[in-house]
Amino acid sequence: MRKEPTPTERILWRLLRAKRLADLKFRRQVPLGPYIADFASFHYRLVIELDGSHHDPEGYDGRRDCWLREQGFRVLRFPNQDVLESPDSVTDAILRTLGMTRG
């Protein structure tokens, strides 16, 4: 587990931490079985992953997503660029996934 978040994780964490997004509780760098999730909401069984250029949907990332789904989690993946260029779109997508809208 990394102590220092990436710049993109730092941006999204500012939007998610302390129940800032619709009073949702998220944790950062969460150990889940053999994996570490970037962000997780246990209440909603939602994992959020941020992908840089190293995303590997057919390899490690795909196996991890499959394992997380088998444990009952939904997995949302966002490219780092989306967080940098349009953080509101990212948070709106999170809310839509949970059947919520921005208040």
Side-chain angles (χ1 to χ4, degrees):
M1 202 162 29
R2 295 184 320 266
K3 284 188 177 196
E4 284 299 313
T6 66
T8 309
E9 288 172 343
R10 198 173 292 122
I11 291 168
L12 188 56
W13 185 233
R14 271 189 233 125
L15 299 170
L16 297 177
R17 70 185 294 262
K19 298 184 178 183
R20 290 180 182 164
L21 180 65
D23 208 35
L24 300 170
K25 180 171 176 52
F26 280 92
R27 291 177 47 202
R28 186 182 80 78
Q29 292 292 296
V30 181
L32 293 170
Y35 302 106
I36 304 289
D38 289 340
F39 305 96
S41 169
F42 284 94
H43 179 78
Y44 287 97
R45 306 293 291 171
L46 177 66
V47 167
I48 299 170
E49 291 293 320
L50 299 180
D51 295 327
S53 59
H54 59 277
H55 176 57
D56 177 22
E58 301 302 319
Y60 176 84
D61 289 345
R63 288 188 301 276
R64 180 171 67 166
D65 288 358
C66 182
W67 185 89
L68 288 166
R69 285 191 298 273
E70 288 172 352
Q71 308 312 306
F73 286 92
R74 289 179 279 184
V75 179
L76 283 180
R77 289 189 165 276
F78 297 101
N80 286 341
Q81 205 61 28
D82 288 0
V83 175
L84 295 170
E85 293 177 0
S86 186
D88 286 341
S89 295
V90 170
T91 55
D92 286 345
I94 294 166
L95 292 173
R96 276 193 311 277
T97 296
L98 299 175
M100 301 175 172
T101 57
R102 196 173 295 275

